[in-house]
Amino acid sequence: MPRKPIIAANWKMNMGPAEAAAFMDQFIPSMEGKALSCDVVIAPPFITIPTVTAKLQGNTTIAVAAQNVSDRDNGAFTGEISTTMLKELGVTYIILGHSERRQYYGETDAIINSKIKKAIADGFTPIFCIGETKDERLAGKLEEVLSTQLSGGLQDLTAEQTAAIVIAYEPVWAIGTGLTATSKEAQEAHAYIRQVIAKLYDTDTANQVRIQYGGSVKPGNVKELMAQPDIDGALVGGASLKPDSFAALVEFDR
Ligand code: PGA
């Protein structure tokens, strides 16, 4: 079965409820009556999620993601948010292992693995982010970094569970910098990721898992990236903050 493309907006620490309401009031009508070929996901900050889901009432084509979650059920964990809370809000995807969480909040492969397992156990689809820094790429460590992050993050997952998650390849040097990996560089990394999944599991699993590219994706470069055989979608930060720009991204094939 061909992999269905998936385009996701990662709003990061942008868009409070008022700004998000204005975004949705413009974005939703602009999508009306359009048969999209991809899944569309929006990941607002936690506090903005209810505004976005309220605006989506009755809309089944746009899904909502969280940008993080706790690996605990509930209790004395100040500042954390649980899967139960996200479920109550209608969230279905959770971004995990984003390089900003790894870099600024000390999330290790083991922590990310624990969150991925919790998310899957409670019925969410993780968007599992991996990617190398510029220094790692220049030192020839791209493959080593990707395979370590993959085997660490996917530890204990069954082939069936891995086939159903979304992986986001985001070279750290391309995030928010305006520097995009060339479509050739991105394709090579994606093909390598599939090779690692095939080694950890089997070819079927590798062929089923959807792999997004992330890092300065814009309306002007999305088409070429999406034309690569192993690129199944995009995780978009900056260019997802404006309704017309995000609309152009989800209509990448028009
Ligand atoms: P960017 O962010 O599109 O602003 O580079 C992508 C991401 O970090 O998910």
Side-chain angles (χ1 to χ4, degrees), residues 10 28 37 62 67 88 99 113 126 130 153 165 174 193 203 239 245:
N10 175 11
I28 295 174
S37 61
I62 303 169
Q67 299 176 16
E88 200 177 321
S99 63
N113 175 244
I130 57 173
I165 71 167
I193 291 165
T203 319
S245 160

Side-chain angles (χ1 to χ4, degrees), residues 10-179:
N10 175 11
W11 284 353
K12 309 192 180 186
M13 198 173 73
N14 298 294
M15 308 284 265
E19 238 182 312
F23 178 105
M24 298 305 284
D25 284 343
Q26 203 180 319
F27 182 69
I28 295 174
S30 76
M31 289 293 108
E32 245 153 54
K34 288 184 179 157
L36 296 176
S37 61
C38 63
D39 287 335
V40 179
V41 181
I42 298 180
F46 289 128
I47 201 165
T48 302
I49 291 173
T51 305
V52 170
T53 49
K55 291 285 181 189
L56 285 174
Q57 284 306 326
N59 182 312
T60 50
T61 58
I62 303 169
V64 178
Q67 299 176 16
N68 187 20
V69 78
S70 169
D71 60 352
R72 309 302 179 101
D73 280 327
N74 54 34
F77 302 103
T78 302
E80 293 292 291
I81 299 284
S82 71
T83 49
T84 315
M85 297 171 189
L86 295 180
K87 189 151 279 178
E88 200 177 321
L89 296 184
V91 167
T92 51
Y93 290 84
I94 308 177
I95 298 175
L96 291 167
H98 192 279
S99 63
E100 287 148 19
R101 303 277 339 152
R102 295 176 187 262
Q103 209 177 331
Y104 308 138
Y105 303 100
E107 290 197 12
T108 60
D109 291 330
I111 293 173
I112 295 158
N113 175 244
S114 168
K115 292 182 175 192
I116 289 176
K117 286 192 284 196
K118 178 73 178 145
I120 293 174
D122 293 340
F124 294 86
T125 302
I127 297 178
F128 167 39
C129 306
I130 57 173
E132 82 290 359
T133 62
K134 187 164 194 183
D135 285 351
E136 288 165 342
R137 179 174 272 262
L138 292 175
K141 291 189 178 156
L142 170 65
E143 297 193 347
E144 183 188 326
V145 170
L146 295 183
S147 67
T148 303
Q149 290 178 342
L150 283 166
S151 53
L154 299 175
Q155 204 173 328
D156 305 328
L157 264 62
T158 64
E160 202 180 15
Q161 288 172 329
T162 292
I165 71 167
V166 176
I167 293 175
Y169 168 62
E170 299 204 302
V172 179
W173 48 272
I175 296 177
T177 56
L179 294 172

